[in-house]
Amino acid sequence: MSVVAEDVRFGVLGPLRAEVGGRPAGLGGPRQRAVLALLLIARGRSVSAERILSDVWEGSRPPSLTTLHGYVADLRRTLEPERAPGAPARLLVREGPGYALRAVPAAVDAERFTDLAARGRRALDGGEPRLAADLLGQALALWRGPAYADFGGAAFAVPDATRLEDLRATIREDRLAAVIASGEHAAAVGELEAVIAEQPLRERGWELLVLALYRSGRQADALATLRAVRGRLADELGIDPGRGLRDLETAVLAQDPRLAPAPAEPTRMSYPPAAAPARPSGNLPFALSSFVGRGGDLTAIASLLDGHRLVTLTGRRC
């Protein structure tokens, strides 16, 4: 079972850091810090002393176990300053032939990021875009720089750093999808342009930018953006846009009503309708769920947009 004092926290979304009692903790030199990073990556699992030596001293002849034991002792003194001499460690523990860091997930910023990201995506899927945008924004605010920034291309850190960076890119797009679904189309345009400038070959960012422009009343700019991404993909990769962008272009050209934003507030009736509106006869020509979230709102939108005019009748009884 993971145990850790509530006042010990770790950060890997940027340079490695630790806080004890709300204050930065000195973690020693590069290799001692690498030992801690390797144990954090293991997420509570035991890492053998042999593997620690091999991974941390990558490409160099590893030292004796005495050096590793010294690093562990220094880290224990830093992370558990109140531990009495000779008392068993509660956080960085000896387990089998190696060591494990018994930190609860909430103590590590990468784990908090993953949790907030999952909650935000559930909110987006459940038709709660404003809540989703808030949760996903909180997740992204935890980042201070590239994951494991001070370990460069160290082989032991690359897989986890890549996983976190890929999730970060997806969550940035999810948050902007939530912003668009909340009706803040124009506000999303500038952020999407910045996202695309950093990662121009991720097609979802372009899809979201086209949708935000279209919903902001900028159909010509949306079409120009589609031409731009088509040219970029052809020049740099020699490929055509994926189906999402192609179908979106068709929808923009046709001014497809299903590109319209969802109502800001659901329609409320004081009496039940006589019959449910007819469902669309065909499939949508693009993945609407990738733009506006899913769940109850999508069901309501799909039931209304059946290709017929909506007529509102008002009156009173005589």
Side-chain angles (χ1 to χ4, degrees):
M1 179 178 179
S2 296
V3 293
V4 65
E6 293 182 358
D7 60 353
V8 181
R9 292 199 166 227
F10 300 94
V12 299
L13 302 180
L16 179 69
R17 73 177 184 185
E19 292 182 356
V20 178
R23 297 181 179 181
L27 298 176
R31 287 203 164 110
Q32 182 167 301
R33 294 167 62 84
V35 170
L36 177 60
L38 183 59
L39 294 173
L40 283 165
I41 289 171
R43 294 179 184 80
R45 298 185 300 273
S46 177
V47 183
S48 71
E50 287 187 7
R51 180 186 164 191
I52 294 174
L53 293 174
S54 174
D55 286 356
V56 171
W57 277 266
E58 176 187 16
S60 302
R61 183 176 180 177
S64 67
L65 284 172
T66 303
T67 300
L68 175 58
H69 295 332
Y71 285 167
V72 169
D74 285 345
L75 288 169
R76 282 172 171 168
R77 282 191 291 270
T78 297
L79 300 175
E80 298 184 62
E82 303 301 322
R83 184 169 62 94
R90 297 174 57 242
L91 180 56
L92 205 172
V93 302
R94 185 68 184 262
E95 188 173 279
Y99 295 96
L101 188 70
R102 298 303 193 191
V104 295
V108 186
D109 61 358
E111 300 301 323
R112 297 197 302 277
F113 166 71
T114 303
D115 177 65
L116 285 165
R119 290 165 56 196
R121 295 172 95 172
R122 285 196 298 269
L124 184 59
D125 289 347
E128 299 180 273
R130 293 189 184 278
L131 175 60
D134 178 61
L135 291 170
L136 298 174
Q138 291 180 48
L140 294 169
L142 294 171
W143 287 73
R144 299 169 287 109
Y148 302 97
D150 41 0
F151 298 103
F156 75 85
V158 166
D160 206 47
T162 301
R163 175 186 67 85
L164 289 167
E165 292 289 353
D166 287 347
L167 181 57
R168 180 190 190 186
T170 299
I171 293 307
R172 290 177 73 184
E173 293 165 350
D174 284 343
R175 190 189 72 82
L176 288 166
V179 170
I180 294 171
S182 299
E184 301 176 22
H185 322 126
V189 170
E191 288 189 64
L192 283 163
E193 289 173 339
V195 167
I196 289 170
E198 292 179 20
Q199 296 180 304
L201 301 181
R202 288 180 64 93
E203 293 190 26
R204 189 181 180 214
W206 290 94
E207 291 177 12
L208 291 168
L209 177 58
V210 170
L211 184 67
L213 289 168
Y214 183 86
R215 288 187 174 178
S216 300
R218 299 168 59 182
Q219 183 183 13
D221 290 336
L223 290 170
T225 299
L226 286 162
R227 289 193 296 271
V229 64
R230 183 181 292 277
R232 186 152 198 167
L233 292 173
D235 292 343
E236 297 191 24
L237 299 179
I239 62 174
D240 291 327
R243 181 172 179 176
L245 281 168
R246 297 197 308 270
D247 289 348
L248 181 57
E249 183 174 26
T250 300
V252 170
L253 286 168
Q255 296 184 339
D256 195 306
R258 286 165 286 192
L259 282 178
E265 294 289 340
T267 302
R268 297 182 180 180
M269 298 183 179
S270 58
Y271 56 90
R279 295 294 300 262
S281 58
N283 294 326
L284 295 174
F286 49 85
L288 181 62
S289 62
S290 68
F291 302 136
V292 300
R294 304 172 191 136
D297 287 346
L298 279 181
T299 302
I301 295 169
S303 68
L304 291 173
L305 298 173
D306 61 353
H308 300 289
R309 293 178 299 167
L310 294 176
V311 180
T312 302
L313 300 177
T314 61
R316 63 183 181 182
R317 300 180 66 174
C318 298

